[in-house]
């Protein structure tokens, strides 16, 4: 550290100044925010490039096919008078046509709004009243719920179905209505940099999701910053639907880098390894829950996955055991986790080769600033001091859609986004996430991290997944309780795991609330553990 409080890091492209980590400043051409025009040019310049291969059928989709399909959809949207500010919702699982209305929406300068395909009626009503989409493209399975939500909320939405549904116009129907001459002469609509490009929903782990808005300029910056998928002509695999920001960024970035995406509808450890081996996948993004299953299933040793160069994850913290185990199983591949938020536009940090801590989330990426603050005083903390992680970035959201109060509560007057995550950074600038501040438990005045207990449980060979939540206690405040999914065929008792928590972590962090074995851990639509649901389950267990 120099006298002026500024430290240079030769290993990673950032500096630390007055306890703020400042990522390298990388200029971006702010005039290139017209994503629709950029995509259309890529399609035109590389018409024969194989953009997508469907595992189920073997069908290949070329850029010229994507160009034709997206233009036809955009022409139909224009004829519905869709333009700037109009919300176009897309509710579907990963399937061959999901990209079409997304890119068409960007062509016409409207607002892309992806929904989860397993949305409940209650949540659908809330989201319908919030974003009030002018047009909604829906998969067959979700259509009934969505139509009922629109009726109950009195939202005049035009529904288009992927596939077929009685008396309902399909996406393919709308495309057939456009003439070849209209397709040939089509031009994207001019947009402003500050126009809203997309509304993504927050994770909703503690309540209803909020609408996270990004402008066309911040969307461009987000895609440009998503350099973990950076190599030209990569063979890519991911399972995130467009509902996740990772799914949207993967889809758009893969197109702009002329990559080939492998469309495999559902993750399964064995089948996924077969897909990687068959198609020579070199880049693989996977959720933390799925990566746990991949590691614990012990299938990696059965397949030659020599093509795999990068295995990346993000969304929640992985245990040290899983990260280190995967690196041993895949020594030729870079296995890394990143940290980010929908509100920041994607990634803020990512692990690099020179990271010393396997359970860290790495170093800040370019154009990101990060600090840890004392929650009570707002004081900026130094290395190895735990506090709330705050970030600044040119990719930051515009705000929460129609919710200025929530925006003010999240972004302060200096433009710092308060993440709600507890963490710290090391002297080398490596960032470590401890847990969600709201999920920290208090036992007799002691702070307990659920993740710390989960990590200890995950080290047991019989534990496939674990989630720890608090159970209220009249005297002690809260007791930690674990929900555990066992490895198929493995045997372990509640008493063993309670004893493990005590012996490895000490008396304070003992699982006094007990252990409940379950067939599945509940997750939110965004792929995070549904702690709200687990807390209700814990209360029910202890009420008996």
């Amino acid at each position: 550290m120099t006298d002026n409080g500024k430290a240079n890091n030769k290993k990673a492209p950032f500096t630390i100044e007055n306890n703020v980590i400042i990522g390298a400043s990388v200029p971006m051409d702010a005039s290139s925010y017209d994503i629709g025009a950029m995509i259309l040019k890529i399609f035109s310049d590389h018409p024969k490039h194989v953009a997508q291969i469907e595992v189920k059928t073997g069908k290949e989709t070329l850029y010229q096919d994507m160009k034709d399909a997206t233009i036809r959809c955009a022409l139909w949207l224009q004829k519905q008078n869709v333009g700037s500010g109009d919300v176009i919702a897309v509710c579907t699982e990963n399937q061959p046509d999901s990209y079409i209305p997304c890119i068409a929406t960007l062509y016409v300068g409207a607002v892309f709004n992806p929904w989860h395909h397993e949305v409940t009626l209650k949540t659908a009503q809330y989201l319908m009243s919030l974003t009030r989409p002018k047009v909604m493209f829906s998969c067959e399975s979700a259509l009934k719920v969505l139509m009922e939500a629109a009726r109950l909320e009195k939202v005049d939405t035009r529904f288009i179905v992927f596939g077929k549904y009685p008396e309902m116009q399909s996406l393919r129907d709308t495309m057939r209505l456009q003439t070849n001459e209209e397709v040939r002469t089509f031009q994207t609509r001019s947009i402003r940099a500050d126009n809203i490009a997309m509304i993504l929903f927050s994770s909703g782990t503690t309540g209803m999701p909020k609408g996270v808005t990004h402008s066309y300029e911040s969307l461009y910056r987000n895609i440009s910053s998503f350099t973990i998928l950076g190599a030209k002509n990569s063979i890519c695999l991911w399972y995130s639907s467009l509902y996740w920001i990772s799914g949207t960024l993967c889809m758009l970035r893969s197109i702009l880098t002329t990559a080939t995406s492998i469309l495999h509808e559902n993750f399964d450890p064995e089948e996924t390894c077969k897909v990687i081996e068959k198609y020579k996948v070199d880049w693989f993004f996977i959720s933390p829950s799925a990566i746990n299953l991949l590691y614990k299933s012990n299938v990696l040793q059965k397949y030659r996955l020599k093509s795999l160069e990068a295995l990346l994850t993000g969304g929640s913290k992985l245990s040290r055991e899983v990260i280190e185990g995967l690196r041993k199983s895949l020594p030729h591949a870079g296995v890394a986790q990143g940290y980010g938020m929908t509100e920041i536009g994607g990634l803020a940090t990512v692990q690099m080769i020179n990271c010393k801590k396997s359970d860290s989330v790495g170093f800040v990426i370019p154009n990101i600033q990060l600090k840890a603050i004392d929650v009570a005083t707002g004081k900026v903390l130094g290395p190895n001091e735990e506090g709330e992680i705050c970030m600044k970035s040119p990719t930051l959201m515009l705000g929460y859609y129609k919710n200025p109060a929530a925006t003010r509560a999240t972004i302060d007057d200096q433009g710092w986004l308060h993440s709600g995550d507890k963490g710290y950074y090391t002297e080398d600038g490596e960032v470590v996430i401890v847990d969600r501040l709201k999920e920290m438990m208090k036992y007799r005045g002691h702070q307990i991290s659920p993740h710390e207990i989960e990590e200890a449980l995950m080290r047991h060979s019989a534990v496939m997944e674990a989630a720890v939540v608090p159970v209220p206690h009249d005297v002690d405040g809260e007791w930690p309780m674990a929900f555990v999914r066992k490895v198929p065929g493995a045997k372990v008792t509640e008493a063993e795991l309670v004893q493990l928590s005590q012996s490895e972590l000490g008396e304070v962090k003992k699982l006094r609330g007990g252990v409940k074995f379950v067939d599945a851990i509940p997750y939110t639509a965004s792929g995070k553990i549904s702690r709200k649901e687990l807390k209700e389950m814990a209360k029910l267990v202890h009420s008996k």
Side-chain angles (χ1 to χ4, degrees), residues 299-319:
V299 299
L300 290 174
Q301 296 79 6
K302 296 169 58 177
Y303 296 91
R304 292 180 57 82
L305 306 181
K306 295 298 184 183
S307 64
L308 198 59
E309 297 175 4
L311 174 60
L312 301 154
T313 188
S316 59
K317 186 177 178 180
L318 278 183
S319 71

Side-chain angles (χ1 to χ4, degrees), residues 57-78:
T57 63
K59 180 183 176 183
E60 297 183 352
T61 301
L62 307 180
Y63 272 1
Q64 64 186 19
D65 305 320
M66 285 188 162
K67 176 182 178 180
D68 183 79
T70 52
I71 288 176
R72 289 179 184 277
C73 183
L75 286 166
W76 182 85
L77 289 174
Q78 287 180 338

Side-chain angles (χ1 to χ4, degrees), residues 103-129:
I103 294 174
T105 300
L106 300 178
Y107 284 168
V108 301
V111 183
F112 170 59
N113 176 216
W115 290 37
H116 194 267
H117 64 285
E118 293 178 339
V119 64
T120 64
L121 179 59
K122 180 181 178 182
T123 302
Q125 283 184 250
Y126 171 79
L127 300 180
M128 192 69 70
S129 66

Side-chain angles (χ1 to χ4, degrees), residues 397-417:
M397 68 173 179
L398 295 173
Y400 292 118
Y401 192 60
K402 298 180 181 178
N403 197 340
T407 302
R408 289 192 297 271
T410 304
I411 303 175
D412 64 27
D413 294 339
Q414 286 74 47
W416 286 97
L417 174 78

Side-chain angles (χ1 to χ4, degrees), residues 424-442:
Y424 64 93
Y425 69 91
T426 67
E427 292 90 343
D428 296 320
E430 206 167 340
V431 180
V432 179
I433 302 300
V434 176
D435 223 319
R436 290 289 293 170
L437 283 168
K438 292 181 180 178
E439 302 304 335
M440 295 295 291
M441 292 177 258
K442 187 169 284 189

Side-chain angles (χ1 to χ4, degrees), residues 318-334:
L318 278 183
S319 71
R320 182 185 291 108
E321 182 216 4
V322 171
I323 282 284
E324 292 178 353
L326 285 168
R327 286 175 177 166
K328 289 179 181 177
S329 298
L330 301 167
H332 55 282

